[in-house]
Amino acid sequence: MQTREVKIINQGLEDETEVWGYLPCLWKRILVGVGAVFSGGLLLLLLYWLPEWGVKGTCTHTSLRNAHTLLLRTTDEFKQWFRAKVHVMSAPGNKPFDSLDLQSTAQLPNGDGEHGISAERVEHHGKFRQPVQIHYFTHHSTKYYWNDVIQNFELFKGLEDVKVSCASIHSDHSSGLSQTLQDYRRLFFGENEIAVRVPSLFKLLIKEVLNPFYIFQLFSVILWSAEDYYYYATAIVFMSVISIATSLYTIRNQYVMLHDMVAAHSVVRVSVRRGSKDIEQAMSTDLVPGDVIIIPANGMIMPCDAVLIHGTCIVNESMLTGESVPVTKTSLPSSGEEASMSLNMEEHKRYTLFCGTHVIQTRFYAGDLVEAVVVRTGFSTEKGQLVRSILHPKPTDFKLYRDAYLFLLCLVGVAGIGFIYTIVLSIMNKVPAKTIIIESLDIITITVPPALPAAMTAGIVYAQRRLKRVGIFCISPQRINMCGQLNLVCFDKTGTLTEDGLDLWGVQSAEGGRFSPPEADAAKESLVNTVFVACMAACHSLTKIEGELSGDPLDLKMFSATGWILEEPTEEETTLHNPIMPTVVRPPKHSVPEANQNNPLTHNMELSALSSCEIGIVRQFPFSSTLQRMSVVVRRLGEKRMNAYLKGAPEVVASLCKQHTVPQSFTETLETYTRQGFRVIALAHRQLESKLSWHKVQSLSRDLIETNMEFLGLVIMQNKIKEETAGVLLELRQANIRTLMVTGDNMLTAISVARDCGMVRAHERVIIADAAPPKDFHPASITWHDTDNPAQTNKDNQTVEINLEDGVYDKRVTQQEQSYHFAVTGRAFAVITEHFPQLVQKLALKATVFARMAPDQKTQLVEVLQSIDYTVGMCGDGANDCGALKRAHCGISLSELEASVASPFTSTTSNISCVPNLIREGRAALITSFCVFKFMALYSIIQYLSVTLLYSILSNLGDFQFLFIDIAIILIIAFTMSLNPAWKELVWHRPPSSLISGRLLCSVLTQILTCLVFQVLAFLLVRQQSWYETWTPQSDACNVSSSGLSHSRNVTSPHDHKNIKNYENTTLFYVSSFQYLAVAIIFSKGKPFRQPSYKNWPFMLSCVSLYTFVLLIMLYPVPAIDSFLEIVCVPHDWRVTLVIIVIVNAAVSFMLEILILDIILRRLVFRFNQGVNRPAEPPSADTPQEANDRWGSSFLSWLFCRRNKPPRVLYMHLALELQDAADWPPRPSTVTYASDLQSHISVPL
């Protein structure tokens, strides 16, 4: 038997997909055509909804090489199916980067063709070259081309595909492409545009109308029309039209907004280099990877991703990152260690100009042009991938939506029972076949509520509006519900927990291998002209934009503390100097001391006042979060030798300095500052060789510059915690939401800030996991050590006290010992992930501080936390957190922009107070979704019960009764019950995430049983009344005059054959109307997640109005309303009886919901399932109430089969395991080694 060939594309990436090949099959297509005719087109709809069936039902399996149609399935948890058509194009080569020595006059084939198109031939040095037929398909705006070598489809992203090194970019790609080669590459890469096609309204309409829900509605409308329920059918059509129109308007608006955002600057004229000298103007849509473009001096909006090869650019990347601070991009290194590395967009982003970002200005030298090589175009660019993720989002993986479908299937099952019951009953009563078909199908339309999707969406829409009012903008509304389930939030430190702007606390220079006393003012006369301050003034990436200094806040603060002045000479001024120095910094004129000019003691540390004190910045190596440093090459005007200045993380800077220049007390001094929460920057410098010219410096790698430095000292910055931080973190802790810090800062600084803001409490230990990779035959190791704990003594006392307590609670003795946190650096995280995979989840369970984390490591951490079933939130400034913000279940970017594509949520509030606001609204929206779903389910079941009972006497609800129930009661209630705002506090427990949970099922089932009992009771009681008879127009149960009856008879005579008017119908209509309102009020829960319902005045007004109206027409009948609703007159005594039945029904429903579900089940059964992070209560003697609670809990837990039930989420399971582990946490001053024989071995130091 032939095994079916399956290949994987995008292997290892987020959009990894399996691919199968198929060929059209004639006999299968004929069969499907026949089936479509006999099913009235339903088979075609089914194949449209299920692409897998559509392809397998019309095609036969074949190899990918010969396939005409492809079937694709994502490998993630959603397993989505797609179909794609294979196209063929003609090209002179197989790959875009094949070297083609084509004559310029040769005409290239124009690419696209269908199967069987004859290939053109290309003249090649007088010979004819046969073009190649290349198979390709398009999926989610990306083209995949067939590769005969790997026997699979592959994606061409850009210049990175050929693994080109940075040096070869300069040597082989700096002269641009010929027109012919550009045309050839465009065959593969297409036009350079991010094409967001706005679909026509007709296309959108067809797609919307073919939704299964609207098809079901269409079926319902046809059925109701066949039953002459024209009014109700018209109302449903009217609602559907409004719903479809609203949906079309929203979807089209989103497309138009996205199109406008993308198209605003997508087509511009650019200067392109052709060969070494020629420069020509071209449209940006013509660009392909390998083209060399000229960046104009006044800047531009980038139409592609390109890497700088000459010059420097100041770029605003807020469109991508949400960070409005301009960044400096420098040219790609052409020599040194970095130049030999393959080009990688992530690693070399400090040299890359990304599509959609705004180049504010450029710096160019001695007439040299600022040039960049195009690396990616179209949807392959960073911006293109973001737009793709918006156009083709992943389904929201949330249990609520999966359970909603299961619940609907249950309702369909109930409908099936009713369907069979109706058929059997009708056959027994010898009802005509047409009536049997219509009435049995009618049961199905009753059971599945037509307004459910609209009602479910309402709560999210209202929550989105409320969030907008508090400055939180959302581009993914479905994630609002997920925010209600957050149980862990990661925070960036700088700019998120702490103030964005740092204050200079002081400086401490080093001289002769020793630290000088710290100085508070770097601008004082004794310091202002030293090399130390010169380094502070010159080593930065600041620039002037419209006369204002702009750049990183840290750089701005350091520079302003020196009192120096920055000048950017005009192009005319720079020509006076040779070599060119585009940026100059100089001390204020009054600060050049004359007295110290000839003082030998200060000669070494002060810049000579005899020569100019102006310093020209010759070259910048911008700050890299991976390298944790930045440097500049400078030259004092009038001197020939150049200097290099370096600043960065103290540990990194010290490792690059000559050891004798680093003070012996370096480590102790650094720890002193970092333990107090200061942010410390180290400075260093060196004098470069005199033979180095300006041009040589431009091509030197930073590794050659940043070595053998001389240590200058430390700059101590005070990073103040924002006022709101501690309060918000306390609120989250009290709400059982775990908080983590993920920062690029120093470990001890991060721990200090964590203690100061309450993330780590005073009595809690912090264990640093310091991991080292394998080296010289030694395995990888983790060294565990405690940080100094200021509350250590107090903790020990507490432990003694606990030891004196009753032995029943032995497990609680170690509670204080278990109050510990791990702290991990980015370096250690990388080692542990690679060499200690079995420890990663254990560490993630208790780690609170992650320091020196690179951007990609932040994303990895979020994935690890999600792997142990945490619902993860991430809050950052959007600059280097983009990956983590997008990966988290709920990413919040603190940005001034209204919407950032970097994260689903953007807060214009510059502090973390937005996090509890978002969680509160998420919880309220989630509870609202549950309330609405339960209400709509009960509405269907109540109506189903009424109709089923009436079918037993061959009756039904009337057209206007259906209309009144569905429009006046259900729609108004469903849309107003969603208006409850969020509760003002975050409570300890989270709302349930699943509809298929014990409490919710108990709630729904008890209400269904209650409604069933009281409807059956009313149905049977009315038949037992002395005045009861089979109703006829002449019936006079309540002594109404015959004239009124004759009028009624004339009006209702056309409907008599349906047997609508009878005592059972009237009784069930009254009882069920009150039941709808009762369950609405019962299910519309307030505290602890939403404001009480009495504060939702539209809902209360609707309920009171409807209650009053139904009560009035029941007790004091109005003939016109009775006639309209087809209600018959019943005696006043029976009306009073109905009022009693309704009141008892409501009371029983309330008692069951509040007493049994809200008190007994929640408090005694389900409360223990809320999490293991809750601190244990101190043991004490049980009060009688507590003893009763415990016995009640034990009994009910046994009754509900919940005793000794393992936790459903992995992090709880891990926590329970580690509680009993004797070797966890590891003892201080021990080392854990990676071993092939055992999972790990720990030995004391």
Side-chain angles (χ1 to χ4, degrees), residues 369-431:
L369 295 170
V370 178
E371 295 179 334
V373 176
V374 177
V375 179
R376 292 178 181 175
T377 58
F379 276 101
S380 295
T381 61
E382 200 77 16
K383 180 181 177 182
Q385 289 176 30
L386 284 171
V387 173
R388 271 186 67 216
S389 69
I390 296 170
L391 282 174
H392 311 287
K394 275 193 169 187
T396 309
D397 179 29
F398 195 46
K399 214 166 178 339
L400 170 69
Y401 304 118
R402 294 200 302 263
D403 290 349
Y405 287 115
L406 282 173
F407 212 94
L408 281 175
L409 283 175
C410 293
L411 290 179
V412 170
V414 171
I417 295 168
F419 180 79
I420 295 164
Y421 162 79
T422 307
I423 291 174
V424 171
L425 194 70
S426 300
I427 291 171
M428 287 170 64
N429 286 288
K430 297 180 181 176
V431 174

Side-chain angles (χ1 to χ4, degrees), residues 36 44 66 68 110 146 233 252 273 294 297 305 361 368 454 503 523 591 709 738 837 855 890 904 915 959 1003 1050:
L44 290 180
N66 303 317
H68 282 221
N110 63 359
W146 177 255
R252 188 173 166 82
R273 185 177 286 285
I294 315 299
D305 286 354
Q361 65 185 48
D368 281 356
D503 294 321
S591 65
M709 309 291 285
R738 192 178 151 203
C890 168
V915 175
D959 198 358
S1003 173
N1050 292 337

Side-chain angles (χ1 to χ4, degrees), residues 1123-1142:
S1123 174
F1124 177 77
L1125 291 174
E1126 299 179 84
I1127 296 170
V1128 300
C1129 197
V1130 292
H1132 190 265
D1133 290 350
W1134 180 240
R1135 296 174 191 276
V1136 174
T1137 307
L1138 284 179
V1139 171
I1140 294 167
I1141 289 173
V1142 164

Side-chain angles (χ1 to χ4, degrees), residues 417-491:
I417 295 168
F419 180 79
I420 295 164
Y421 162 79
T422 307
I423 291 174
V424 171
L425 194 70
S426 300
I427 291 171
M428 287 170 64
N429 286 288
K430 297 180 181 176
V431 174
K434 180 190 172 187
T435 309
I436 293 176
I437 293 167
I438 288 173
E439 289 192 345
S440 54
L441 290 174
D442 198 22
I443 276 283
I444 297 172
T445 66
I446 287 166
T447 315
V448 181
L452 180 63
M456 289 282 283
T457 309
I460 295 172
V461 172
Y462 297 147
Q464 195 174 359
R465 284 182 187 169
R466 288 195 296 269
L467 285 172
K468 195 170 181 179
R469 284 201 291 270
V470 294
I472 300 172
F473 298 89
C474 173
I475 61 168
S476 180
Q478 294 300 327
R479 286 186 186 251
I480 294 175
N481 272 342
M482 297 182 80
C483 295
Q485 278 293 305
L486 286 184
N487 52 9
L488 184 147
V489 184
C490 303
F491 291 98

Side-chain angles (χ1 to χ4, degrees), residues 605-905:
M605 285 302 292
E606 293 193 355
L607 298 168
S608 173
L610 297 174
S611 64
S612 172
C613 287
E614 291 187 4
I615 296 176
I617 300 171
V618 176
R619 187 169 183 203
Q620 287 180 345
F621 296 100
F623 176 78
S624 159
S625 54
T626 311
L627 300 174
Q628 297 175 354
R629 63 180 186 266
M630 79 160 289
S631 60
V632 290
V633 177
V634 302
R635 188 166 112 178
R636 273 186 284 142
L637 299 189
E639 284 201 1
K640 290 187 177 179
R641 296 185 75 164
M642 297 187 193
N643 286 283
Y645 290 142
L646 172 76
K647 78 171 181 194
E651 309 92 328
V652 175
V653 172
S655 69
L656 298 171
C657 289
K658 297 172 185 172
Q659 280 309 107
H660 72 272
T661 66
V662 180
Q664 289 184 341
S665 60
F666 169 77
T667 308
E668 293 79 7
T669 306
L670 179 61
E671 281 197 16
T672 304
Y673 289 126
T674 53
R675 281 189 195 284
Q676 296 174 60
F678 291 117
R679 183 167 184 181
V680 184
I681 309 291
L683 306 181
H685 98 296
R686 75 179 266 219
Q687 222 172 23
L688 300 178
E689 295 77 14
S690 55
K691 62 182 180 183
L692 278 178
S693 66
W694 177 84
H695 280 287
K696 280 186 180 176
V697 165
Q698 297 305 318
S699 59
L700 274 180
S701 77
R702 70 189 297 169
D703 299 324
L704 294 173
I705 301 280
E706 297 169 348
T707 184
N708 288 324
M709 309 291 285
E710 292 183 14
F711 191 80
L712 286 178
L714 304 173
V715 179
I716 301 103
M717 311 291 287
Q718 195 169 18
N719 198 190
K720 292 178 182 173
I721 294 170
K722 290 181 180 177
E723 287 180 15
E724 301 82 3
T725 298
V728 169
L729 293 178
L730 178 64
E731 186 180 2
L732 294 176
R733 178 192 283 274
Q734 289 172 341
N736 195 25
I737 296 168
R738 192 178 151 203
T739 53
L740 269 67
M741 183 192 297
V742 191
T743 178
D745 208 343
N746 174 280
M747 168 67 84
L748 293 174
T749 303
I751 293 172
S752 172
V753 171
R755 284 197 184 278
D756 291 344
C757 66
M759 200 175 275
V760 175
R761 287 181 289 185
H763 65 272
E764 294 174 329
R765 294 163 57 203
V766 176
I767 303 169
I768 295 177
D770 192 8
K775 188 178 181 183
D776 300 333
F777 305 107
H778 293 291
S781 62
I782 307 173
T783 307
W784 312 90
H785 53 91
D786 276 5
T787 57
D788 291 341
N789 193 343
Q792 191 70 38
T793 314
N794 187 33
K795 184 191 82 75
D796 291 340
N797 292 340
Q798 289 175 350
T799 308
V800 172
E801 287 174 18
I802 292 170
N803 283 335
L804 297 174
E805 295 290 346
D806 193 340
V808 175
Y809 297 99
D810 281 346
K811 282 191 180 179
R812 294 192 185 180
V813 170
T814 56
Q815 183 62 40
Q816 289 298 329
E817 286 181 22
Q818 288 180 0
S819 294
Y820 63 89
H821 301 263
F822 288 116
V824 185
T825 62
R827 176 173 169 270
F829 183 73
V831 172
I832 293 167
T833 306
E834 185 178 352
H835 299 285
F836 298 87
Q838 74 281 357
L839 291 182
V840 172
Q841 291 186 344
K842 291 181 181 180
L843 272 174
L845 190 70
K846 294 296 285 184
T848 300
V849 177
F850 292 85
R852 296 286 186 224
M853 294 285 277
D856 59 323
Q857 288 181 316
K858 293 183 181 183
T859 311
Q860 283 179 321
L861 174 64
V862 169
E863 289 171 345
V864 167
L865 293 166
Q866 288 172 334
S867 73
I868 54 174
D869 296 338
Y870 275 112
T871 307
V872 183
M874 175 76 199
C875 182
D877 57 13
N880 55 4
D881 307 318
C882 289
L885 287 167
K886 284 195 288 184
R887 178 71 66 189
H889 292 108
C890 168
I892 314 155
S893 172
L894 304 183
S895 170
E896 292 175 6
L897 302 173
E898 275 200 7
S900 164
V901 284
S903 65
F905 298 94

